[in-house]
């Protein structure tokens, strides 16, 4: 449920054009970021909050240009620090719907520390993680998610670093919400962003974004329209994890791992297929689903984890409310006169 | 021979309590100070913690101390050399004899002077027997044995008895200074309210110590320090760090903006974070961040959100905050940064004080990045300067760095408790909801200050950020002339704060032979030294800077009115070089000390005398 107590609802119905800014969009033609903008402009009016209550915070990178392109309050921060800035903003004013736009470098290299800690605290913000697996703005150096062996401007002989799997990092940081979407499925992205907004806590939405200039087709194996039905599985809560062009493949839990099976073969029926529980607080199976990699597995899309949990900002407000009700010290004058004092 | 119980009346006296970390010296010193304050003395205190949490027993590294200076006149510093030293073990005596005045009174717990402890302290012979203490009034008290005797009627275990040693010694001191026991007895009763045994043991030990003082043959002189002529009012004893925290809270209350602190623990600034964490009933939001960068960035986010954003730290932490400070400069958001300076570079000497972050505060950022820099100059005035730093930050929409230091932060003095409603009003320039004329960088003509428009307020949607923006509209711009304009505006905006600052006040004649210049935490020592020399009829005056950027408007005039100037700092000459840059026509002398120690009055008067004679 959307926590309407926190963020005030708009008295009038808003539409997509309410969120279009007057700034010129400067991403390269064909960049996957355009689709993310489209999805956000779709979903903000649907979420239904007052226009003034949306705040968009970003770091530095192509992705971090985002706040200029939506007509909300915006803060374009410094490299890596969006999560920290957004944390302060949300804790200061829990009545805002705070969105972070960040890149793979911004969030997981220079900003890695803030990323894991905002997740651990579960501050109620939404993070749009534009994962193009490259440093776009600085023109093509490898990032923490660049595939091993990739040739980039700073790895002419191929990278020798193991990339992060974003879901692994999020769940390792005890994140309560994780979703993944390809940039060429705006409909799914819109649905997922809506779920992220509903979640009370830090919601990370990893978008497999294509950087047409510096890492073109880096997600192609997964997102290519020709093959995507076999390379992606779209998870829906309460439904069996089925995929494939003919919807005849599925995921089962065998022993302690997941396995791809074909329905109708070796006696497998739809009843054997794993049913997705995104609300489970136990991250065990969600972790495994998030970890699935092509070509051996389909890559999981949609909301993988949405575990209900208390948010930091709610807890912080509650502590203050309680203290205000119970403490003898109600003003700084009280404080100055508390403890040992004497008259001269 | 002086008769026993001759009473010596003192203007002021420095008492230092030293012992092993576990001996409770901080509590002892605090209680002794409270009693002095209640008796009407002015006072200042300073704790001397060991760097280690639990250093080995009976070693020099494990010595913990508490110094207090009380008097019947205004007290400016915790004092240099002590008149009375209370030493609980050989190591603490050994470590502190160099801070003792000739002829001072030593109160020594002799029961700890066994062979092993004497050797561990680095003595070859017992100092009690080798004649090295001749010339002092030495009060030897075998405290452990005396306590055993005093507590023998009570059913008290050995460990608890051991822990009342400090109270016994305190009893001796109360006798030595003719203090009434009522207050400390009540204090003990309140502190250990629910532990009847503990109260009984401590109260008995305290009284036994007092009686020991009365009966021992070794006390030849007792002391009297009459009340100081303090202004009438309600008082409390307060450390600089607590005063800073409370000043911030007062500013939040008066401005109507909620305080948001984003901070990461670091010595000697941590107390501010800990203190503010206690005051949720005043609405303070305290965010213990994952690092200093998150500390300042969360505070900037909160400021963007219309809160009074604050971050507190010490030198190394300020280094980490540099980039984000630039962000606060360019977004023109209010931000208070408290830097409790310590000895550097790098980790340096965390528990030792220094004034060596001035250049970092002024210039330690990329780009032309002006912000306001100010400094508190006594533990109690940390309250006012924290309040004023917040006022300037909010009213002028800029970051303000408030420099204090470990010496101020840990030190304490008496604060005459103000009524918060009497403090200067704080009027943040909030934008009106739905103001059709609102633009993020439109400015007040006189102050160049932009409006503060928080998310959630209708009709004020805008963006700010680290990229250069056009003046007024706030659109991203790399236009050369716009950048020049914005650089100039940001500089001029800070410069114009000078219109709202008090003028420098000279202690002494407004012109003369020598002007002593200081800034921040050295005020007490410089005032004491200059006052002493003024009493001797020397042509010497003193001015202490609390505002560094911008400087008070009469700075040039004041500096130009003396034959000689000496700028005294606990660094290698950072303020003097700033003054050389600002007023190059004036010749400066400088006196610097970088030892992690405060100035001693004697070394200052020596230096000033030399300069006057040259
Ligand atoms: C402190 C700092 N270091 C380095 C940079 C340079 N820099 C800007 S963006 C960037 C990487 C951006 O990569 P990513 O976060 O993946 O964003 P993308 O451009 O790919 O969307 C770097 C290294 C900077 N702006 N600030
Ligand atoms: S460089 Fe890549 S990420 Fe940046 S705008 Fe162009 S296509 Fe998009
Ligand atoms: Mg990237």
């Amino acid at each position: 449920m959307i926590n309407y107590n926190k963020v005030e609802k708009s008295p009038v119905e808003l539409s997509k054009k309410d969120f279009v800014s007057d700034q010129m969009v400067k991403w390269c033609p064909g960049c996957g970021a355009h689709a993310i903008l489209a999805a956000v402009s779709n979903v903000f009016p649907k979420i239904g909050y007052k226009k003034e209550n949306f705040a968009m915070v970003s770091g530095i990178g192509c992705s971090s240009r985002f706040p200029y392109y939506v007509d909300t309050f915006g803060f374009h921060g410094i490299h890596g620090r969006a999560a920290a800035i957004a944390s302060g903003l949300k804790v200061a004013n829990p009545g805002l719907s705070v969105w972070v736009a960040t890149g793979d470098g911004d969030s997981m290299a220079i900003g890695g520390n803030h990323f894991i800690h905002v997740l651990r605290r579960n501050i109620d913000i939404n993070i749009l993680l534009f994962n193009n697996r490259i440093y776009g703005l600085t023109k093509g150096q490898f990032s923490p998610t660049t595939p091993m062996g990739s040739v980039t401007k700073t790895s002419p002989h191929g990278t020798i670093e193991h990339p992060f799997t974003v879901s692994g990092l999020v769940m390792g940081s005890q994140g309560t919400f994780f979703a993944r979407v390809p940039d060429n499925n705006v409909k799914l992205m819109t649905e997922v962003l809506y779920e992220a907004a509903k979640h009370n806590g830090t919601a990370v939405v990893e978008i497999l974004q294509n950087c047409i200039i510096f890492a073109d087709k880096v997600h192609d194996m997964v997102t290519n329209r020709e093959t995507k039905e076999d390379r992606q599985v779209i998870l829906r809560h309460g439904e069996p994890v089925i995929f494939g062009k003919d919807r005849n493949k599925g995921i089962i839990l065998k022993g302690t791992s997941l396995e791809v099976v074909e329905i109708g073969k070796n006696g497998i029926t739809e009843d054997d297929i794993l049913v997705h529980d995104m609300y489970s607080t136990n991250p065990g199976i969600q972790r495994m689903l998030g970890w699935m990699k092509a070509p051996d597995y389909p890559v999981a899309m949609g909301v993988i984890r949405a575990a209900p949990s208390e948010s930091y900002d709610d807890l912080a407000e509650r502590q203050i409310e309680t203290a205000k009700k119970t403490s003898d010290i109600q003003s700084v004058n009280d404080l100055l006169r508390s403890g040992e004092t004497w008259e001269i | 021979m002086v008769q026993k119980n001759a009473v010596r009346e003192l203007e002021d006296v420095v008492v230092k309590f030293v012992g092993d970390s576990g001996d409770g010296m901080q509590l002892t010193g605090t209680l002794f100070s409270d009693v002095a304050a209640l008796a009407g003395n002015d006072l200042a205190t300073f704790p001397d913690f060991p760097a280690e949490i639990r250093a080995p027993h009976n070693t020099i590294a494990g010595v913990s101390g508490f110094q207090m200076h009380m008097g019947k006149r205004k007290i400016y510093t915790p004092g240099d050399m002590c008149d009375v030293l209370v030493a609980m073990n050989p190591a603490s005596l050994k470590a502190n004899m160099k801070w003792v005045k000739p002829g001072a009174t030593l109160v020594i717990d002799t029961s700890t002077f066994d062979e092993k402890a004497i050797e561990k302290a680095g003595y070859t012979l017992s100092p009690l027997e080798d004649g090295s203490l001749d010339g002092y009034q030495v009060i030897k008290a075998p405290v452990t044995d005396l306590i055993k005797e005093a507590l023998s009627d009570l059913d008290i275990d050995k460990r608890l008895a051991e822990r009342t040693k400090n109270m016994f010694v305190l009893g001796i001191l109360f006798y030595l200074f003719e203090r009434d026991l009522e207050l400390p007895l009540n204090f003990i009763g309140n502190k250990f309210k629910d532990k009847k045994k503990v109260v009984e043991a401590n109260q008995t030990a305290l009284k036994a110590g007092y009686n020991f003082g009365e009966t021992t043959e070794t006390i030849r002189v007792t002391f009297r320090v009459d009340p100081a002529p303090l202004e009438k009012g309600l008082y409390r004893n307060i450390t600089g760090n607590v005063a800073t925290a409370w000043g911030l809270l007062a500013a939040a209350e008066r401005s109507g903006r909620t305080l948001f602190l984003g901070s990461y623990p670091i010595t000697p600034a941590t107390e501010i974070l800990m203190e503010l964490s206690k005051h949720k009933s005043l609405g303070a939001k305290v965010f213990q961040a994952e690092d200093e960068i998150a500390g300042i960035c969360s505070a900037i986010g909160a400021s963007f959100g219309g809160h009074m954003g604050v971050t507190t730290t010490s030198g190394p932490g300020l280094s980490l905050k540099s980039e984000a400070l630039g962000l606060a400069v360019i977004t023109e958001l209010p931000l208070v940064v408290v830097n409790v300076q310590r000895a550097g570079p790098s980790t340096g000497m965390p528990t030792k004080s220094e004034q060596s972050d001035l250049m970092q505060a002024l210039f330690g950022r990329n780009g032309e990045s002006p912000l306001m820099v100010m400094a508190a100059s006594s533990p109690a005035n940390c309250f006012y300067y924290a309040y004023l730093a917040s006022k300037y930050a909010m009213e002028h929409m800029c970051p303000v760095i408030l420099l204090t230091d470990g010496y101020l932060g840990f030190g304490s003095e008496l604060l005459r408790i103000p009524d918060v409603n009497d403090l200067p009003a704080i009027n943040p320039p909030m934008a009106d909801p739905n103001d059709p004329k609102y633009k993020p960088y439109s400015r007040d003509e006189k102050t160049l200050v932009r409006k503060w428009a928080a998310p959630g307020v209708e009709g004020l949607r805008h963006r700010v950020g680290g990229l250069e923006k056009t003046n007024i509209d706030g659109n991203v711009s790399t236009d050369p002339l716009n950048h020049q304009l914005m650089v100039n505006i940001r500089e001029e905006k800070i410069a114009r704060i000078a219109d709202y600052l008090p003028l420098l006040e000279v202690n002494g004649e407004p012109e003369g032979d020598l002007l002593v210049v200081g800034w921040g935490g050295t005020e007490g020592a410089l005032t004491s030294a200059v006052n002493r020399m003024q009493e001797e009829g020397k042509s010497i005056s003193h001015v202490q800077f609390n505002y560094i950027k911008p400087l008070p408007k009469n700075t040039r005039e004041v500096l130009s009115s003396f034959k000689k100037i000496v700028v005294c700092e606990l660094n290698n000459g950072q303020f003097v070089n700033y003054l050389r840059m600002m007023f190059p026509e004036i010749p400066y002398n400088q006196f610097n000390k970088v030892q992690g120690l405060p100035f001693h009055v004697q070394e200052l008067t020596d230096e000033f005398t030399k300069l006057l004679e040259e």
Side-chain angles (χ1 to χ4, degrees), chain A residues 14-15 36 45 72 100 128 140 146 189 208 217 225 227 229 285 288 313 317 323 326:
Chain A
L14 299 170
S15 74
I36 305 171
T72 63
V100 166
L128 309 173
T146 301
M189 207 186 305
L208 307 185
K217 299 198 162 52
R225 288 187 192 280
T227 50
E229 265 96 359
I285 292 181
M288 290 196 278
D313 39 295
E317 288 299 299
T326 54

Coordinates of all heavy atoms in Angstrom, one line a residue, chain A residues 14-15 36 45 72 100 128 140 146 189 208 217 225 227 229 285 288 313 317 323 326:
Chain A
L14 N -3.3 14.3 -12.1 CA -2.2 14.9 -12.9 C -2.0 14.0 -14.1 O -2.4 12.8 -14.2 CB -0.9 14.9 -12.1 CG -1.0 15.8 -10.8 CD1 0.2 15.5 -9.9 CD2 -1.1 17.2 -11.2
S15 N -1.3 14.6 -15.1 CA -1.1 13.8 -16.3 C 0.4 13.8 -16.6 O 1.2 14.6 -16.0 CB -1.9 14.3 -17.5 OG -1.3 15.5 -17.9
I36 N 13.7 5.5 -19.8 CA 13.5 5.6 -18.4 C 12.8 6.9 -18.1 O 11.8 6.9 -17.3 CB 14.9 5.6 -17.7 CG1 15.7 4.3 -18.0 CG2 14.7 5.7 -16.2 CD1 17.1 4.3 -17.6
P45 N 2.3 10.6 -12.5 CA 0.9 11.0 -12.3 C 0.1 9.8 -11.7 O -0.8 10.0 -10.9 CB 0.4 11.4 -13.7 CG 1.5 11.0 -14.7 CD 2.8 10.8 -13.9
T72 N 10.0 18.5 -11.4 CA 9.8 18.4 -10.0 C 10.9 19.2 -9.3 O 11.7 19.8 -10.0 CB 10.0 16.9 -9.5 OG1 11.3 16.5 -9.8 CG2 9.0 16.0 -10.3
V100 N 16.1 8.9 -6.6 CA 17.5 9.0 -7.0 C 17.7 8.5 -8.4 O 17.3 7.4 -8.7 CB 18.4 8.3 -5.9 CG1 19.8 8.2 -6.4 CG2 18.3 9.0 -4.6
L128 N 16.7 4.8 -9.0 CA 16.8 4.3 -10.4 C 18.2 4.1 -10.8 O 19.0 5.1 -10.9 CB 16.1 5.4 -11.3 CG 14.8 5.9 -10.9 CD1 14.3 7.1 -11.8 CD2 13.7 4.8 -11.0
G140 N 33.7 6.3 -21.6 CA 34.0 4.9 -21.9 C 35.0 4.2 -21.1 O 35.7 3.3 -21.6
T146 N 31.1 -3.6 -15.4 CA 31.6 -4.0 -16.8 C 32.0 -5.5 -16.8 O 32.7 -6.0 -15.9 CB 32.8 -3.2 -17.2 OG1 32.4 -1.8 -17.1 CG2 33.4 -3.5 -18.5
M189 N 8.6 -1.4 -17.0 CA 9.3 -0.5 -16.2 C 8.3 0.4 -15.4 O 8.5 0.7 -14.2 CB 10.2 0.4 -17.1 CG 11.4 1.0 -16.3 SD 12.4 2.2 -17.3 CE 12.8 1.3 -18.8
L208 N 18.6 -2.2 -17.1 CA 19.6 -2.6 -18.1 C 19.6 -1.6 -19.2 O 18.7 -1.7 -20.1 CB 19.4 -4.0 -18.5 CG 19.2 -5.0 -17.4 CD1 19.1 -6.5 -18.0 CD2 20.4 -5.0 -16.4
K217 N 25.1 -2.6 -27.0 CA 24.7 -4.0 -27.0 C 25.3 -4.8 -25.8 O 25.4 -6.0 -25.8 CB 25.1 -4.7 -28.3 CG 24.4 -4.0 -29.5 CD 24.4 -5.0 -30.7 CE 23.4 -4.7 -31.8 NZ 23.4 -3.3 -32.3
R225 N 15.4 -8.3 -28.9 CA 14.0 -8.6 -29.1 C 13.7 -9.9 -29.6 O 12.7 -10.5 -29.4 CB 13.3 -7.5 -29.9 CG 13.2 -6.2 -29.2 CD 12.4 -5.1 -30.0 NE 12.6 -3.8 -29.4 CZ 11.9 -3.4 -28.4 NH1 11.0 -4.2 -27.8 NH2 12.1 -2.2 -27.9
T227 N 15.4 -12.7 -29.1 CA 15.7 -13.8 -28.2 C 15.2 -13.6 -26.8 O 15.3 -14.5 -25.9 CB 17.2 -14.1 -28.1 OG1 17.8 -12.9 -27.9 CG2 17.7 -14.7 -29.4
E229 N 12.5 -13.6 -25.1 CA 11.6 -14.5 -24.4 C 12.3 -15.7 -23.7 O 11.8 -16.2 -22.7 CB 10.5 -15.0 -25.3 CG 9.2 -14.2 -25.3 CD 9.2 -13.2 -26.4 OE1 10.2 -13.1 -27.2 OE2 8.2 -12.4 -26.5
I285 N 15.5 -17.5 -1.8 CA 15.2 -17.8 -3.1 C 15.2 -16.5 -4.0 O 15.7 -16.6 -5.2 CB 13.8 -18.4 -3.2 CG1 13.9 -19.8 -2.5 CG2 13.3 -18.6 -4.6 CD1 12.7 -20.7 -2.5
M288 N 18.7 -16.1 -5.2 CA 19.0 -17.0 -6.3 C 18.4 -16.6 -7.6 O 19.0 -16.6 -8.7 CB 18.6 -18.5 -6.0 CG 19.4 -19.1 -4.9 SD 19.2 -20.9 -4.7 CE 17.7 -21.0 -3.8
D313 N 13.1 6.3 8.2 CA 12.5 7.6 8.4 C 11.2 7.5 9.3 O 11.0 8.4 10.1 CB 12.1 8.4 7.1 CG 11.6 7.4 6.0 OD1 12.4 6.5 5.6 OD2 10.5 7.5 5.7
E317 N 11.0 9.4 13.0 CA 9.8 10.2 13.4 C 9.2 9.7 14.7 O 8.9 10.5 15.6 CB 8.8 10.2 12.3 CG 9.1 10.9 11.0 CD 9.4 12.4 11.3 OE1 8.5 13.1 11.7 OE2 10.5 12.9 11.0
A323 N 9.8 11.2 22.3 CA 10.6 12.0 23.2 C 9.8 13.3 23.5 O 9.8 13.8 24.6 CB 11.9 12.3 22.5
T326 N 7.3 12.6 26.2 CA 7.7 12.1 27.5 C 8.8 13.0 28.2 O 8.9 12.8 29.4 CB 8.2 10.7 27.4 OG1 9.3 10.7 26.4 CG2 7.1 9.7 27.0

